[in-house]
Amino acid sequence: PETPEREAVKGGSDRKEMPGSDSLLPEEQTVMEGVQKTPFRIIGEAMETYIIAQRGNSLWLIDKHAAHERILFDRLRAQKQEIASQTLLAPQTCRLGQEGAALLLAHLPLLDELGYGVEEFGEGTVLLRRAPMDLSPEQAADCLAGLAQDLQEGRREDRDSLRDHLLHTMACKAAIKAGWRTDPLEREVLVREVLNRPDLKHCPHGRPVCIRLTRQQLERQFGRA
């Protein structure tokens, strides 16, 4: 599910404006290389949540959070090496309770691979010394707390499934949020990726990324067909 709009893509700020220079989808994004550039026109954005685009005789409504979340998840999942991390100037304490802390600490190799530097702090608390590069310390701590809770509630999946589960959470927290204003470049990169990837239909949680309305469907609604 989508996280609250107070979360930011980088640095943990509360801004809703996302300049292109600070976006996770910069102009030089290598994902654009080699992708077939199908002609399309971006009409605008509705409710600061849905991008409206036209390609041929179809209109596309794209949920920018769901689309960005899926793109980030696929990118993180495809990485074969450790995810880039940042050492925190002020380590973050996470109070998880005795059971939650113990269960989380049992997965230190996986956490380290995903960019988390975690160590025991005592009395049901762990210390976060490193966090994935694209998450603020608060977002990273929230991910750990969520994983600890899931483990306490009985999630006992194999390592790969647990890795995917944590990557889902990371992508959701790092993705553009509904209600954030996005600049034209960000919109263009998102739309181009969605329209040129047949597999990009749902976010990691299963929600639709886009809805297509054909000219025939619209004309039927307006009594033209």
Side-chain angles (χ1 to χ4, degrees):
E2 186 170 334
T3 52
E5 276 71 6
R6 62 181 179 82
E7 296 167 345
V9 167
K10 288 188 178 181
S13 68
D14 292 335
R15 62 185 172 82
K16 289 190 177 183
E17 191 76 39
M18 296 179 58
S21 60
D22 196 39
S23 172
L24 290 178
L25 297 170
E27 185 171 11
E28 66 273 14
Q29 184 58 258
T30 55
V31 75
M32 296 288 290
E33 297 177 2
V35 175
Q36 179 185 359
K37 294 178 173 57
T38 305
F40 63 86
R41 179 169 68 92
I42 296 177
I43 297 172
E45 192 171 321
M47 307 170 194
E48 295 184 332
T49 300
Y50 306 103
I51 301 171
I52 305 170
Q54 179 182 349
R55 184 176 67 172
N57 286 323
S58 295
L59 282 182
W60 295 77
L61 303 178
I62 298 171
D63 183 325
K64 63 184 182 183
H65 172 82
H68 194 197
E69 181 184 357
R70 173 62 189 275
I71 291 167
L72 290 176
F73 171 70
D74 288 351
R75 196 173 303 154
L76 289 169
R77 193 184 192 196
Q79 290 191 25
K80 301 302 181 183
Q81 55 190 4
E82 291 184 4
I83 290 175
S85 63
Q86 54 185 329
T87 300
L88 306 182
L89 295 177
Q92 189 92 1
T93 56
C94 307
R95 301 184 184 279
L96 307 173
Q98 296 288 353
E99 183 185 5
L103 289 170
L104 191 73
L105 291 169
H107 294 86
L108 284 182
L110 174 61
L111 293 174
D112 186 66
E113 176 188 322
L114 298 183
Y116 294 88
V118 181
E119 61 185 54
E120 186 175 3
F121 197 62
E123 299 183 356
T125 302
V126 300
L127 195 65
L128 178 64
R129 291 194 176 276
R130 286 186 300 109
M133 190 66 72
D134 293 329
L135 297 181
S136 70
E138 293 76 19
Q139 290 172 335
D142 285 345
C143 285
L144 294 180
L147 177 59
Q149 182 176 349
D150 287 341
L151 292 170
Q152 283 182 276
E153 292 175 353
R155 182 181 287 275
R156 297 291 190 273
E157 298 175 333
D158 60 73
R159 184 183 182 281
D160 288 343
S161 296
L162 198 60
R163 180 179 187 270
D164 279 356
H165 175 67
L166 191 52
L167 290 178
H168 285 174
T169 307
M170 291 167 58
C172 184
K173 289 187 176 296
I176 296 168
K177 304 297 183 292
W180 276 355
R181 290 184 294 277
T182 48
D183 68 21
L185 176 59
E186 290 173 321
R187 287 196 293 267
E188 181 180 351
V189 175
L190 277 174
V191 172
R192 191 178 300 280
E193 181 118 355
V194 169
L195 295 186
N196 287 283
R197 278 186 52 184
D199 63 313
L200 210 162
K201 298 303 181 188
H202 297 88
C203 77
H205 301 99
R207 291 197 301 109
V209 163
C210 59
I211 296 174
R212 179 191 178 199
L213 296 173
T214 66
R215 180 168 187 166
Q216 184 179 19
Q217 288 172 315
L218 289 171
E219 290 184 341
R220 191 159 51 238
Q221 290 294 321
F222 284 100
R224 290 177 174 271

